[in-house]
Amino acid sequence: MSAITTPLPTSDADRPNAPPLAVIRPRPWLAAWTLCRREWVRFIRQGNRVFAALGQPIIFWILFSALFGTSFQMSAGAAGQASSTAAASGPAAQVPAAVSYAQYFFPGTLVMIILFTAIFATISVIEDRREGFLQSVLVAPVPRWSVVTGKVLGGALIALAHAAVFMLLCFTLQVPLTLLTVPAVLVLLFVIGIALTSLGLAIAWPMQSTQGFHAIMMVFLLPMWLLSGALAPPGNNWIGWVIRFNPLTYCLALLRHILYWGADPAVKDTVLAGLPSAWFCTLVTLAFVVAMFGLAWRVASVRSTGDAT
């Protein structure tokens, strides 16, 4: 029995009752925008996800500030010494003075919000593959970079929204946000969100189970945040050197530079003591973003067993 084949239309003359082929030409940016918007719709419809993404960092910030608030403080005069001995001796080794631990931990909490939101956002890749939605997207006549861009932008924008809400707590601290620093902080948080969401997407893309993804996240991404200087400045021991080789350290350092741009000189010197310069942090952050997005693009471009055939 021979198979009946129908030739595909190659011109508008072959399909007189259909729209012109130019009208249905693949539009990669429209596909990326559609996927980005879909991430937002899914996020808004999951109220428990909104509560978890915002509630967990706030609880961590309050608890860590309460636990270390009386013992972990930095003074302007002792900042250099504190930054060199904190990791070696622990939070309690620092002397209380000008900057509270709630202030010091505030930028680290912002990055933690970006991190957790990126983790939750990239889980949708595994769910989409299991439900068959991802396969239908992959067979569409759009390049893989548009799929990656849509998923990454959706996750990064959701993370930015969470961080923007948390930033309102800065009015309870002595963090001098201005009309110039607020847009700069939001742009930087969005850039960090792109980097972390791209990294999460690169890890989630070939995985088949959410349990395995959670395990990798807890082993890989959470230590990455812990070793970014979010909890304590790097010291001169081996942990300090691990922190210095972590690219997220420079993202967080750049965030501190921007947050305390217009701060009192004594407070600014205390917070920025021992940190690399702002221009070097900017270079490392941009390189980190480009590398992570390229990694996600590369992983998504490789056909896996779960892709449509």
Side-chain angles (χ1 to χ4, degrees):
M1 183 175 187
S2 61
I4 300 175
T5 59
T6 302
L8 294 175
T10 57
S11 65
D12 292 339
D14 299 332
R15 44 200 301 279
N17 297 325
L21 290 176
V23 175
I24 59 174
R25 185 171 298 173
R27 300 167 66 180
W29 287 110
L30 178 60
W33 164 248
T34 303
L35 290 174
C36 175
R37 184 181 176 186
R38 180 175 179 271
E39 293 296 317
W40 266 95
V41 172
R42 292 183 62 175
F43 169 73
I44 293 173
R45 290 179 179 177
Q46 297 175 350
N48 53 351
R49 183 178 163 189
V50 178
F51 173 77
L54 264 179
Q56 187 176 28
I58 292 176
I59 292 174
F60 276 21
W61 181 64
I62 294 175
L63 291 181
F64 276 97
S65 300
L67 287 172
F68 301 136
T70 56
S71 59
F72 188 105
Q73 289 182 338
M74 300 173 65
S75 66
Q81 181 180 358
S83 62
S84 63
T85 59
S89 305
Q94 300 192 12
V95 181
V99 178
S100 66
Y101 187 71
Q103 285 178 271
Y104 180 84
F105 188 45
F106 185 78
T109 309
L110 285 173
V111 175
M112 181 173 65
I113 291 173
I114 300 292
L115 174 68
F116 279 112
T117 308
I119 291 175
F120 286 119
T122 49
I123 288 177
S124 65
V125 174
I126 303 174
E127 297 174 347
D128 288 344
R129 187 187 299 278
R130 183 183 304 162
E131 297 166 358
F133 175 80
L134 185 61
Q135 287 84 343
S136 64
V137 172
L138 294 179
V139 298
V142 292
R144 292 289 177 95
W145 65 260
S146 65
V147 178
V148 174
T149 301
K151 301 290 287 186
V152 169
L153 286 182
L157 288 174
I158 293 172
L160 177 63
H162 282 85
V165 173
F166 182 79
M167 279 181 61
L168 297 176
L169 293 176
C170 73
F171 294 106
T172 64
L173 305 170
Q174 295 179 355
V175 180
L177 286 179
T178 65
L179 294 178
L180 293 178
T181 57
V182 168
V185 169
L186 293 178
V187 170
L188 176 60
L189 291 175
F190 179 64
V191 170
I192 297 174
I194 291 177
L196 294 178
T197 308
S198 299
L199 178 58
L201 182 67
I203 297 174
W205 191 273
M207 303 199 73
Q208 303 296 326
S209 69
T210 54
Q211 291 83 358
F213 180 73
H214 274 294
I216 295 297
M217 291 297 103
M218 293 301 105
V219 171
F220 186 67
L221 283 188
L222 189 58
M224 185 179 180
W225 172 76
L226 292 173
L227 295 174
S228 66
L231 296 177
N236 291 325
N237 55 0
W238 66 272
I239 294 181
W241 285 106
V242 173
I243 292 176
R244 291 183 179 89
F245 279 102
N246 183 0
L248 197 59
T249 300
Y250 299 90
C251 301
L252 182 57
L254 182 59
L255 182 59
R256 295 188 194 278
H257 277 286
I258 297 176
L259 280 174
Y260 290 90
W261 181 270
D264 180 79
V267 175
K268 185 177 180 179
D269 292 341
T270 302
V271 174
L272 303 183
L275 296 181
S277 61
W279 69 267
F280 184 73
C281 294
T282 303
L283 292 178
V284 175
T285 301
L286 293 177
F288 181 51
V289 172
V290 173
M292 292 301 101
F293 186 81
L295 176 64
W297 184 4
R298 173 61 181 167
V299 172
S301 299
V302 176
R303 184 181 295 273
S304 64
T305 55
D307 293 350
T309 56

Coordinates of all heavy atoms in Angstrom, one line a residue, residues 216-262:
I216 N 20.2 19.3 42.4 CA 21.3 20.0 41.8 C 21.3 21.5 42.3 O 22.4 22.1 42.6 CB 21.2 20.0 40.3 CG1 21.4 18.5 39.8 CG2 22.3 20.9 39.6 CD1 22.7 17.9 40.1
M217 N 20.1 22.1 42.4 CA 20.0 23.5 42.8 C 20.6 23.6 44.2 O 21.4 24.6 44.5 CB 18.6 24.0 42.8 CG 18.0 24.1 41.4 SD 18.8 25.4 40.4 CE 19.7 24.3 39.4
M218 N 20.2 22.7 45.1 CA 20.7 22.9 46.5 C 22.2 22.6 46.6 O 22.9 23.2 47.5 CB 19.9 21.9 47.4 CG 18.4 22.2 47.5 SD 18.1 23.8 48.3 CE 17.6 24.8 46.8
V219 N 22.7 21.8 45.7 CA 24.1 21.5 45.8 C 25.0 22.5 45.1 O 26.1 22.8 45.5 CB 24.4 20.1 45.2 CG1 25.9 19.8 45.0 CG2 23.8 19.0 46.0
F220 N 24.4 23.1 44.1 CA 25.2 24.0 43.3 C 24.9 25.5 43.5 O 25.8 26.3 43.8 CB 25.0 23.6 41.8 CG 25.9 24.4 40.8 CD1 27.3 24.2 40.8 CD2 25.4 25.3 39.9 CE1 28.1 24.8 40.0 CE2 26.2 26.0 39.1 CZ 27.5 25.7 39.1
L221 N 23.7 25.9 43.3 CA 23.3 27.3 43.3 C 23.3 27.9 44.7 O 23.7 29.1 44.9 CB 22.0 27.5 42.6 CG 22.0 27.5 41.1 CD1 20.7 27.9 40.5 CD2 23.1 28.4 40.5
L222 N 22.8 27.2 45.7 CA 22.7 27.7 47.0 C 24.1 28.0 47.6 O 24.4 29.1 48.1 CB 21.9 26.8 47.9 CG 21.6 27.4 49.3 CD1 20.8 28.7 49.2 CD2 20.8 26.4 50.2
P223 N 25.1 27.0 47.5 CA 26.5 27.4 47.9 C 27.1 28.5 47.1 O 27.9 29.3 47.6 CB 27.2 26.0 47.7 CG 26.2 25.0 47.7 CD 24.9 25.6 47.2
M224 N 26.7 28.6 45.8 CA 27.2 29.7 45.0 C 26.8 31.1 45.7 O 27.6 32.0 45.7 CB 26.6 29.6 43.6 CG 27.1 30.6 42.6 SD 26.4 30.4 41.0 CE 27.2 31.7 40.1
W225 N 25.6 31.1 46.2 CA 25.1 32.4 46.9 C 25.8 32.5 48.2 O 26.2 33.6 48.6 CB 23.6 32.3 47.1 CG 23.1 33.5 47.9 CD1 23.0 34.8 47.5 CD2 22.7 33.4 49.3 NE1 22.5 35.5 48.6 CE2 22.4 34.7 49.7 CE3 22.6 32.4 50.2 CZ2 21.9 35.0 51.0 CZ3 22.2 32.7 51.5 CH2 21.8 34.0 51.9
L226 N 25.9 31.4 49.0 CA 26.6 31.5 50.3 C 28.0 32.0 50.2 O 28.5 32.6 51.1 CB 26.5 30.1 51.0 CG 25.1 29.7 51.4 CD1 25.2 28.2 51.9 CD2 24.5 30.6 52.5
L227 N 28.7 31.6 49.1 CA 30.1 31.9 48.9 C 30.2 33.2 48.0 O 31.2 33.3 47.2 CB 30.8 30.8 48.3 CG 30.9 29.5 49.1 CD1 31.5 28.4 48.4 CD2 31.7 29.8 50.4
S228 N 29.3 34.1 48.1 CA 29.4 35.3 47.3 C 29.6 36.5 48.2 O 29.6 37.7 47.7 CB 28.0 35.5 46.5 OG 27.0 35.7 47.5
G229 N 29.9 36.3 49.5 CA 30.1 37.5 50.3 C 28.8 38.1 50.8 O 28.7 39.1 51.4
A230 N 27.7 37.3 50.7 CA 26.4 37.8 51.1 C 26.2 37.8 52.6 O 25.6 38.7 53.2 CB 25.2 37.0 50.5
L231 N 26.8 36.8 53.3 CA 26.7 36.7 54.7 C 27.9 37.3 55.5 O 27.7 37.9 56.6 CB 26.7 35.2 55.1 CG 25.5 34.4 54.6 CD1 25.6 33.0 55.0 CD2 24.2 35.0 55.2
A232 N 29.1 37.3 54.9 CA 30.2 37.9 55.5 C 31.3 38.3 54.5 O 31.3 37.6 53.4 CB 30.8 36.9 56.5
P233 N 32.1 39.3 54.7 CA 33.1 39.6 53.8 C 34.2 38.5 53.7 O 34.4 37.7 54.6 CB 33.8 40.9 54.4 CG 32.8 41.4 55.4 CD 32.1 40.2 55.9
P234 N 34.8 38.4 52.5 CA 35.8 37.3 52.4 C 37.0 37.6 53.2 O 37.5 38.7 53.4 CB 36.1 37.4 50.9 CG 35.8 38.8 50.4 CD 34.7 39.2 51.3
G235 N 37.6 36.5 53.8 CA 38.8 36.6 54.6 C 40.0 36.2 53.7 O 39.9 36.1 52.5
N236 N 41.1 35.9 54.4 CA 42.3 35.5 53.7 C 42.5 34.0 53.8 O 43.6 33.5 53.5 CB 43.5 36.2 54.3 CG 43.5 37.7 54.0 OD1 43.1 38.0 52.9 ND2 43.9 38.5 54.9
N237 N 41.5 33.2 54.3 CA 41.7 31.8 54.3 C 41.2 31.2 53.0 O 40.9 31.9 52.0 CB 40.9 31.2 55.5 CG 39.4 31.6 55.4 OD1 39.0 32.3 54.5 ND2 38.7 31.2 56.4
W238 N 41.1 29.9 52.9 CA 40.7 29.2 51.6 C 39.3 29.6 51.2 O 39.0 29.7 50.0 CB 40.9 27.7 51.7 CG 40.0 27.0 52.7 CD1 40.1 26.8 54.0 CD2 38.7 26.5 52.4 NE1 39.1 26.1 54.5 CE2 38.2 25.9 53.6 CE3 37.9 26.4 51.2 CZ2 36.9 25.3 53.6 CZ3 36.7 25.7 51.2 CH2 36.2 25.2 52.4
I239 N 38.4 29.8 52.2 CA 37.0 30.2 51.8 C 37.0 31.6 51.1 O 36.3 31.8 50.2 CB 36.1 30.2 53.0 CG1 36.0 28.7 53.6 CG2 34.7 30.7 52.7 CD1 35.1 28.6 54.8
G240 N 37.9 32.4 51.7 CA 38.0 33.7 51.0 C 38.4 33.7 49.6 O 37.9 34.4 48.7
W241 N 39.3 32.8 49.3 CA 39.8 32.6 47.9 C 38.7 32.0 47.0 O 38.5 32.3 45.8 CB 41.0 31.8 47.8 CG 42.2 32.5 48.3 CD1 42.9 32.4 49.5 CD2 42.9 33.6 47.6 NE1 43.9 33.3 49.6 CE2 44.0 34.0 48.4 CE3 42.7 34.2 46.4 CZ2 44.8 35.1 48.0 CZ3 43.5 35.2 46.0 CH2 44.6 35.6 46.8
V242 N 37.9 31.1 47.6 CA 36.8 30.5 46.8 C 35.8 31.6 46.5 O 35.2 31.7 45.4 CB 36.1 29.4 47.6 CG1 34.8 29.0 46.9 CG2 37.0 28.2 47.8
I243 N 35.5 32.5 47.5 CA 34.6 33.6 47.3 C 35.1 34.6 46.2 O 34.4 35.0 45.3 CB 34.4 34.4 48.6 CG1 33.7 33.6 49.6 CG2 33.7 35.7 48.4 CD1 33.5 34.2 51.0
R244 N 36.4 34.8 46.2 CA 37.0 35.7 45.1 C 36.9 35.1 43.7 O 36.9 35.8 42.7 CB 38.5 36.0 45.5 CG 38.6 36.9 46.7 CD 40.1 37.2 47.0 NE 40.2 38.1 48.2 CZ 40.3 37.6 49.4 NH1 40.4 36.3 49.6 NH2 40.4 38.5 50.4
F245 N 36.8 33.8 43.6 CA 36.7 33.1 42.3 C 35.3 32.9 41.9 O 35.0 32.4 40.8 CB 37.5 31.8 42.3 CG 38.9 31.9 42.1 CD1 39.8 31.8 43.2 CD2 39.5 32.2 40.8 CE1 41.2 31.9 43.0 CE2 40.8 32.3 40.7 CZ 41.7 32.2 41.8
N246 N 34.3 33.3 42.7 CA 32.9 33.2 42.4 C 32.4 34.4 41.7 O 32.5 35.6 42.2 CB 32.1 33.0 43.7 CG 30.6 32.8 43.5 OD1 30.2 32.8 42.4 ND2 29.9 32.7 44.6
P247 N 31.9 34.3 40.5 CA 31.5 35.5 39.7 C 30.3 36.2 40.4 O 30.2 37.5 40.2 CB 31.1 35.0 38.3 CG 30.9 33.5 38.6 CD 31.8 33.1 39.7
L248 N 29.5 35.5 41.2 CA 28.4 36.2 41.8 C 28.9 37.1 42.9 O 28.2 38.1 43.3 CB 27.5 35.1 42.5 CG 26.1 35.6 42.9 CD1 25.3 36.1 41.7 CD2 25.3 34.4 43.5
T249 N 30.1 36.9 43.4 CA 30.7 37.9 44.4 C 30.8 39.3 43.8 O 30.5 40.3 44.4 CB 32.1 37.4 44.8 OG1 32.0 36.1 45.4 CG2 32.8 38.3 45.8
Y250 N 31.2 39.3 42.5 CA 31.4 40.6 41.9 C 30.1 41.3 41.5 O 29.9 42.5 41.5 CB 32.3 40.5 40.7 CG 33.7 39.9 41.0 CD1 33.9 38.6 41.1 CD2 34.7 40.8 41.4 CE1 35.1 38.0 41.5 CE2 35.9 40.3 41.8 CZ 36.1 38.9 41.8 OH 37.3 38.4 42.2
C251 N 29.0 40.5 41.2 CA 27.7 41.0 41.0 C 27.2 41.7 42.3 O 26.6 42.8 42.3 CB 26.7 39.9 40.6 SG 27.2 39.1 39.1
L252 N 27.4 41.0 43.4 CA 27.0 41.5 44.7 C 27.8 42.7 45.1 O 27.2 43.7 45.7 CB 27.1 40.4 45.8 CG 26.6 40.8 47.2 CD1 25.2 41.2 47.2 CD2 26.8 39.6 48.1
A253 N 29.1 42.7 44.8 CA 29.9 43.9 45.2 C 29.5 45.1 44.3 O 29.5 46.2 44.9 CB 31.4 43.5 44.9
L254 N 29.2 44.9 43.1 CA 28.7 46.0 42.3 C 27.4 46.5 42.8 O 27.1 47.8 42.8 CB 28.5 45.6 40.8 CG 28.1 46.6 39.8 CD1 29.1 47.8 39.8 CD2 28.0 46.0 38.4
L255 N 26.5 45.7 43.3 CA 25.3 46.1 43.9 C 25.5 47.0 45.1 O 24.8 48.0 45.3 CB 24.4 44.9 44.2 CG 23.0 45.1 44.8 CD1 22.2 46.0 43.9 CD2 22.3 43.8 45.2
R256 N 26.5 46.6 45.9 CA 26.8 47.4 47.1 C 27.4 48.8 46.7 O 27.1 49.8 47.3 CB 27.9 46.7 48.0 CG 27.4 45.4 48.6 CD 28.4 44.9 49.6 NE 28.1 43.5 50.0 CZ 27.3 43.1 50.9 NH1 26.6 44.1 51.5 NH2 27.1 41.8 51.2
H257 N 28.2 48.8 45.6 CA 28.7 50.1 45.1 C 27.6 51.0 44.7 O 27.6 52.2 45.0 CB 29.6 49.8 43.9 CG 31.0 49.4 44.3 ND1 31.9 50.3 44.7 CD2 31.7 48.2 44.2 CE1 33.1 49.7 44.9 NE2 33.0 48.4 44.6
I258 N 26.6 50.5 44.1 CA 25.5 51.3 43.6 C 24.6 51.7 44.7 O 24.1 52.9 44.8 CB 24.7 50.6 42.5 CG1 25.6 50.3 41.3 CG2 23.5 51.4 42.1 CD1 24.9 49.5 40.2
L259 N 24.2 50.8 45.6 CA 23.3 51.1 46.7 C 23.9 52.2 47.6 O 23.1 53.0 48.1 CB 23.1 49.8 47.5 CG 22.0 48.8 47.0 CD1 22.0 47.6 47.9 CD2 20.6 49.5 47.0
Y260 N 25.2 52.2 47.8 CA 25.8 53.2 48.8 C 26.5 54.3 48.0 O 27.5 54.8 48.5 CB 26.7 52.4 49.7 CG 26.0 51.6 50.7 CD1 25.7 50.2 50.4 CD2 25.5 52.1 51.9 CE1 25.0 49.4 51.3 CE2 24.8 51.3 52.8 CZ 24.6 50.0 52.5 OH 23.8 49.2 53.4
W261 N 26.1 54.5 46.8 CA 26.8 55.6 46.0 C 26.7 56.9 46.6 O 27.7 57.7 46.7 CB 26.1 55.6 44.6 CG 26.7 56.6 43.7 CD1 26.4 57.9 43.5 CD2 27.8 56.4 42.8 NE1 27.2 58.5 42.6 CE2 28.0 57.6 42.1 CE3 28.6 55.3 42.5 CZ2 29.1 57.7 41.1 CZ3 29.5 55.4 41.5 CH2 29.8 56.6 40.9
G262 N 25.6 57.3 47.2 CA 25.4 58.6 47.8 C 25.4 58.5 49.3 O 24.8 59.5 49.9

